[in-house]
Amino acid sequence: MMHSLEQFLTSTTSSPLAQMLIVILATFILEDAATVLTAIQVKLHTLNTPQALLALYIGIVLGDVGLYGLGFLAARWPPARRWVQTPERDAQRQWLTGKLFKVVFISRFIPGTRLPLYTACGFFNAGLRTFTLATLAATLIWTTALFVLSLKVGSFILSHLGAWRWAGILGFVVVIILMGRLAARMQKQ
């Protein structure tokens, strides 16, 4: 099993399209970890920077639109309809629709807000075009910044840690994930 996985990963290094597809799928699992590992791929010359960034942008925006879609579908579920057609919900929908770009853009930078907000946007049918533009704009900034940071840190790790470089990369990924969790926890307090 491990041998066939290793063969598959080795064979994908010669196919940039396969590498991009793997990156896109990885963003559905953990965006920040996918960004860090994609930057490492660039440093290892298995993917070039434009392809890496394009795959990251596509994967992250598709994931965000997917969350919107889940909220949209939930609003059509018969037991959930009782929450859709109330006067309070109409006011919430109008508020969200009026500030959609700003709210969605800012949420990209605040850990723990995207899942509830993005599904709520879909639930209230707040405007898919504006939603997509906001998430794309914020993704271009946030993901590019994390990617550049990962390139710099990854370069240092790859050139200075020798045999321990994979442990260093894993440690960097864990630190990025834990920082996001810590920021979300601090925000709740």
Side-chain angles (χ1 to χ4, degrees):
M1 175 83 172
M2 285 301 281
H3 183 66
S4 60
L5 177 62
E6 185 178 330
Q7 283 179 329
F8 170 74
L9 292 174
T10 302
S11 69
T12 62
T13 58
S14 62
S15 170
L17 188 59
Q19 287 286 314
M20 290 176 69
L21 183 60
I22 290 169
V23 170
I24 290 169
L25 294 174
T27 63
F28 296 160
I29 300 167
L30 277 174
E31 293 174 3
D32 293 344
T35 303
V36 170
L37 294 174
T38 301
I40 299 301
Q41 282 184 282
V42 168
K43 279 302 186 188
L44 294 172
H45 306 290
T46 60
L47 199 57
N48 67 41
T49 300
Q51 292 168 335
L53 285 171
L54 180 62
L56 287 168
Y57 299 152
I58 290 170
I60 291 170
V61 171
L62 282 177
D64 292 349
V65 170
L67 291 176
Y68 181 101
L70 287 175
F72 183 82
L73 291 174
R76 273 103 194 116
W77 186 48
R81 287 185 186 199
R82 64 181 172 184
W83 292 308
V84 177
Q85 302 300 330
T86 64
E88 304 89 34
R89 298 300 181 232
D90 287 339
Q92 292 170 346
R93 178 181 298 140
Q94 287 175 347
W95 180 88
L96 183 59
T97 302
K99 300 181 183 309
L100 185 61
F101 188 91
K102 182 178 175 182
V103 169
V104 171
F105 184 87
I106 291 171
S107 74
R108 169 60 55 189
F109 304 95
I110 303 172
T113 60
R114 291 187 304 251
L115 174 65
L117 177 66
Y118 292 4
T119 54
C121 288
F123 191 85
F124 291 128
N125 197 15
L128 181 58
R129 182 182 304 143
T130 303
F131 174 87
T132 304
L133 290 173
T135 193
L136 177 61
T139 298
L140 289 172
I141 295 168
W142 173 255
T143 303
T144 303
L146 181 57
F147 183 81
V148 169
L149 172 68
S150 300
L151 279 175
K152 295 194 181 302
V153 172
S155 179
F156 177 83
I157 288 171
L158 290 173
S159 63
H160 289 88
L161 293 184
W164 290 95
R165 66 184 181 193
W166 296 111
I169 291 168
L170 179 63
F172 181 57
V173 169
V174 169
V175 166
I176 294 292
I177 292 169
L178 291 177
M179 286 176 56
R181 304 265 190 248
L182 180 63
R185 189 170 290 157
M186 289 173 50
Q187 177 192 0
K188 287 181 184 178
Q189 296 173 352

